[in-house]
Amino acid sequence: MRTWFEPEETEEYEATRNVLIRRCLTWADEHGRPADDLLLAAALDARHHSRDGRLAYWDEHQIRRYLLAWIPKYVVTPREIVEIAPEILRTFLHYLSAAGLRDPRGATPAEADDAITRALPDFRKALDDPSLLGLAKFWAQTALDHGNDLAGPGALRDFQLDLDAGRIRYDQELLGKLLEARFTRTEPDLEEERDFLQPPVELPAPADLAVAAARSTTVRRLGALAGWAGEVGRPLTRQGHLTLADARELSVLLGTGEEALQVRSSADLPQLSLLLAWAGRLGLVRTGRGRLLQVARAAPLLRDPPALWARAFEVLPGLGESITMSGRAAVLGRCFDDVLTDVLNALYGMDDLPVARLAETVWLACQEHVVMDGAPERLKDLWRRRSALDLECALEVLAALGAVELTRGPADELCSSDLGHDDQALPPDAVERLRRRLAEPGLLLARLTPLALRSVRERLLAQGRDAPLIGELADCPAAELLGVLSQHYPPREAAVELNSWLSHPGQDVETLLRAIRDCPFRTRAAAMLAVLAEVLPQGRALVRDLRHDPVLAPTALTFLVDAGEVDPAALDRREHLLLGAENFLTLLELGGPRVLVEQLRSMAGDDAYELAAAILDSGHHDVAGLAELRELVAEPLRGRLLRLIPGTGTGARPARRKRRL
């Protein structure tokens, strides 16, 4: 059971959503909790249509986004149902935890309960705020208020006829406001664009990061600059610049190497100008009465190198005018903030990325931000070259801060492996240019330092993105650990994380196997077992031993057959039945009842019910899955068989409960 899907995996997501809703409704009924299929679907949709798309990851931000924005905008259901949406969300989150599906990096059930409770007053206000409605919900709710849920055949046509005839009244003033807000509202769309996946990263201990921050050239220079300015201050010219004499003195003190440059003004010393602008942004210095002064309130920040480093890194994107060669007039200077953020994201988790590769994507981004229509190709080529040089300047600034490590060497083959793909975003001329550059031996290469990795990761997390950290799963429940590893960790990183988990007392392989035995979903159990098989040194041998396990035998057999280690013809009758049951239950999860019915009919024809009955008698341990197979597949097949015999009943399947309140 996956809990993450690409946006285009519509059918796969909907199949999983249906399974989760069915299982959650059953669990809620067994535990006396409120549940509703429409609101459960809405909660899953809210997470699927988000930056990270993790269905089982919920924190306070996601809880509030769902309750205070998603429901008011999209969910159409009677008021008495929608009012208990917070309690239904509690049910769903507790179900995720009970089923071993919860993403352990999110809120615990207790933390989620507290977050929902805190959101209740605002939730009630949001329900009563008509401005939060979406246009689609406005019309659907209007139809529902007039006894039409728009679900039946011709319902939409009838509703339109009633509207045209004036038989349905609606709030025209509110509709006008919603139409206006659709084109003027500035807040982000709730259906967020999916962000690129980020690889898991490792970080040193906090003490090591603190030492690295204190060693940063830029941090030392910023501290020295503020101390040099002092409380008395340094005089400024009428134009607001340092005198040349003071600038040269400061250059020597800071080690920028600009003291011997022949310039007319201290403003023409690029490194010094950048440091002064940087210190100003950080609030370390200020100007007053014609002097440059140290800010007294900045003393705590100056005494805390890690905090100073983090703040310096945070404000850096706003210093594009001081970094690029032509300042604001430079093409990159006009979009430096956005582009630098993208560059840092591109470097995140990567090893020695060629700067030439970054330069092409930066130039592509510049063309999206700056209007170049009508400019001659020769001028565009000049701008492109200057943007590449400005990018190198920015990387050198980052290197001095200790955020980027710059080296020289050949490009990894992976950096050019996708250049011929159809989905390559670069235009043909850029691809050819990049092919030539990547073949050169002494390329400039860049990678983020651990300090930058930590800061970029914190920003990604604040944006609601998934940014795995090696070691963060070291003490989480076994089922949740394997669930995350199977979906979000490449093999090497999964091995490191799993070994870290196993190094803790009481956390062993048997605990992991127990979690797989307890897993109520065939697809998820298979993925969890595959993690052990591929990551543990003894993994394959472990799976072979499980062939005779009373619970895990079907899952192990499926793995071994798929891996070519077991010949299906060598299985005995019992193993054949277990293997068949595992495969059919898996198909029920992945495709739904209709797909499984079609598969059974294609395999057995008129004997499809007998095949389904054999699966039900296979001895497979998945009680929940077999119950669904009996209700959703076997009984409809049996009913069809009965209808073929004259004089029998309809064989109709019982109506399924939609909600429990």
Side-chain angles (χ1 to χ4, degrees):
M1 173 62 60
R2 292 166 57 193
T3 55
W4 183 90
F5 298 87
E6 293 282 5
E8 61 269 18
E9 292 183 294
T10 304
E11 293 182 0
E12 295 87 344
Y13 163 66
E14 290 180 352
T16 289
R17 183 181 64 178
N18 291 339
V19 174
L20 287 174
I21 291 172
R22 287 200 308 266
R23 297 288 181 94
C24 186
L25 287 172
T26 300
W27 184 86
D29 193 45
E30 293 171 350
H31 291 79
R33 287 178 172 269
D36 175 82
D37 56 348
L38 186 146
L39 286 170
L40 292 173
L44 288 163
D45 286 347
R47 292 300 294 119
H48 180 60
H49 298 288
S50 66
R51 287 190 180 91
D52 64 310
R54 289 175 288 171
L55 306 181
Y57 177 90
W58 290 80
D59 58 12
E60 184 153 7
H61 170 75
Q62 296 299 341
I63 288 170
R64 295 183 69 85
R65 173 177 175 266
Y66 171 62
L67 292 177
L68 309 184
W70 191 275
I71 287 179
K73 184 172 183 177
Y74 294 121
V75 176
V76 181
T77 195
R79 178 71 182 222
E80 65 270 17
I81 302 298
V82 78
E83 282 182 345
I84 61 170
E87 299 311 311
I88 293 173
L89 180 60
R90 288 187 205 271
T91 296
F92 178 58
L93 299 187
H94 279 269
Y95 166 71
L96 289 178
S97 180
L101 296 174
R102 186 184 73 94
D103 190 316
R105 298 166 295 178
T108 65
E111 291 168 344
D113 282 343
D114 291 342
I116 292 171
T117 299
R118 286 191 293 271
L120 287 177
D122 293 330
F123 174 69
R124 297 186 184 100
K125 293 177 183 177
L127 290 184
D128 294 328
D129 186 350
S131 68
L132 296 179
L133 269 66
L135 282 173
K137 177 175 178 176
F138 173 84
W139 289 118
Q141 190 68 55
T142 299
L144 186 64
D145 292 343
H146 288 80
N148 188 339
D149 65 1
L150 301 182
L156 182 60
R157 181 198 60 217
D158 294 343
F159 177 62
Q160 185 65 56
L161 290 174
D162 288 341
L163 274 177
D164 295 341
R167 290 189 290 271
I168 290 182
R169 295 183 179 182
Y170 59 90
D171 192 332
Q172 296 187 6
E173 182 180 356
L174 174 59
L175 177 61
K177 291 179 179 178
L178 294 177
L179 287 168
E180 180 181 359
R182 182 177 183 180
F183 297 102
T184 60
R185 191 173 291 168
T186 57
E187 63 260 27
D189 193 337
L190 281 178
E191 297 196 41
E192 300 165 342
E193 183 177 353
R194 186 70 63 81
D195 285 317
F196 290 112
L197 295 176
Q198 298 294 343
V201 299
E202 282 188 90
L203 290 176
D208 295 331
L209 291 172
V211 171
R215 290 175 177 171
S216 163
T217 299
T218 298
V219 166
R220 295 201 307 267
R221 285 174 173 174
L222 289 170
L225 190 158
W228 177 84
E231 296 180 3
V232 176
R234 301 285 177 158
L236 300 174
T237 65
R238 292 180 180 179
Q239 291 75 29
H241 306 308
L242 289 174
T243 66
L244 267 176
D246 278 349
R248 290 194 170 99
E249 176 187 330
L250 183 57
S251 179
V252 172
L253 175 66
L254 302 183
T256 64
E258 297 174 306
E259 60 273 10
L261 294 180
Q262 298 302 310
V263 294
R264 294 184 177 182
S265 167
S266 63
D268 297 325
L269 301 175
Q271 292 191 62
L272 195 60
S273 296
L274 170 60
L275 288 167
L276 286 166
W278 214 336
R281 283 289 185 105
L282 291 168
L284 304 180
V285 297
R286 64 178 179 85
T287 59
R289 297 182 181 181
R291 301 183 74 82
L292 178 73
L293 303 158
Q294 179 179 355
V295 176
R297 287 179 297 180
L301 184 61
L302 289 169
R303 291 194 297 267
D304 188 347
L308 178 55
W309 192 99
R311 284 285 295 135
F313 184 77
E314 179 184 352
V315 304
L316 178 59
L319 296 170
E321 293 184 35
S322 301
I323 293 174
T324 55
M325 290 186 296
S326 303
R328 186 67 180 173
V331 172
L332 182 54
R334 300 178 212 176
C335 53
F336 187 83
D337 193 334
D338 291 330
V339 171
L340 183 62
T341 300
D342 290 342
V343 166
L344 294 170
N345 288 349
L347 288 170
Y348 186 84
M350 300 295 290
D351 292 332
D352 294 333
L353 195 63
V355 174
R357 176 89 193 220
L358 287 172
E360 293 294 349
T361 56
V362 163
W363 174 239
L364 202 63
C366 287
Q367 295 176 74
E368 295 177 358
H369 286 85
V370 180
V371 178
M372 299 183 184
D373 295 342
E377 291 301 319
R378 184 177 179 182
L379 182 57
K380 287 183 180 179
D381 188 60
L382 176 62
W383 288 341
R384 178 184 62 79
R385 293 174 185 273
R386 285 185 174 176
S387 295
L389 292 173
D390 283 339
L391 173 63
E392 291 190 17
C393 289
L395 291 172
E396 289 171 358
V397 170
L398 285 163
L401 177 61
V404 165
E405 180 183 345
L406 297 175
T407 56
R408 292 276 179 180
D412 191 288
E413 291 183 3
L414 290 175
C415 296
S416 56
S417 61
D418 65 333
L419 292 180
H421 293 182
D422 294 336
D423 59 352
Q424 171 57 244
L426 295 174
D429 62 322
V431 170
E432 290 306 313
R433 189 165 53 239
L434 194 50
R435 285 187 193 277
R436 294 192 298 270
R437 288 298 309 279
L438 293 179
E440 298 174 6
L443 289 174
L444 182 63
L445 309 174
R447 69 163 67 187
L448 294 184
T449 66
L451 279 169
L453 280 174
R454 180 180 64 178
S455 290
V456 173
R457 179 174 182 269
E458 289 173 351
R459 175 171 53 77
L460 293 173
L461 292 176
Q463 294 171 351
R465 298 181 63 174
D466 183 11
L469 177 66
I470 300 294
E472 67 179 336
L473 305 176
D475 57 357
C476 72
E480 297 173 4
L481 166 79
L482 292 175
V484 172
L485 295 185
S486 66
Q487 296 185 93
H488 302 291
Y489 277 62
R492 186 185 71 82
E493 288 79 2
V496 175
E497 190 70 55
L498 186 59
N499 286 328
S500 173
W501 189 91
L502 289 170
S503 68
H504 287 64
Q507 297 180 176
D508 51 26
V509 172
E510 184 53 43
T511 304
L512 297 171
L513 292 175
R514 187 162 54 249
I516 303 175
R517 290 187 182 97
D518 293 341
C519 179
F521 303 99
R522 309 315 330 127
T523 51
R524 192 173 184 88
M528 293 162 72
L529 185 61
V531 170
L532 299 188
E534 301 299 337
V535 168
L536 292 177
Q538 74 281 20
R540 292 300 181 102
L542 176 67
V543 176
R544 287 192 289 270
D545 291 341
L546 293 173
R547 177 175 173 174
H548 306 291
D549 186 275
V551 173
L552 292 180
T555 308
L557 277 173
T558 302
F559 180 91
L560 294 171
V561 169
D562 290 344
E565 295 192 27
V566 170
D567 182 358
L571 301 179
D572 59 30
R573 183 178 182 279
R574 176 179 173 277
E575 288 179 323
H576 266 297
L577 280 175
L578 287 175
L579 185 63
E582 183 79 3
N583 290 336
F584 287 131
L585 290 172
T586 297
L587 185 58
L588 179 59
E589 286 182 18
L590 293 175
R594 180 182 59 80
V595 172
L596 182 53
V597 167
E598 292 175 356
Q599 179 70 17
L600 290 170
R601 285 174 177 165
S602 69
M603 294 177 63
D606 292 340
D607 295 328
Y609 171 72
E610 283 73 13
L611 180 54
I615 297 169
L616 292 172
D617 292 336
S618 65
H620 198 288
H621 74 281
D622 187 356
V623 175
L626 291 176
E628 288 187 342
L629 191 145
R630 178 179 291 104
E631 176 188 358
L632 303 176
V633 177
E635 289 302 322
L637 284 172
R638 181 171 180 271
R640 180 176 180 272
L641 178 64
L642 290 174
R643 285 196 296 274
L644 295 177
I645 303 174
T648 61
T650 63
R653 55 184 278 196
R656 201 164 51 82
R657 171 185 46 74
K658 291 287 186 178
R659 61 173 64 95
R660 183 192 185 284
L661 302 176

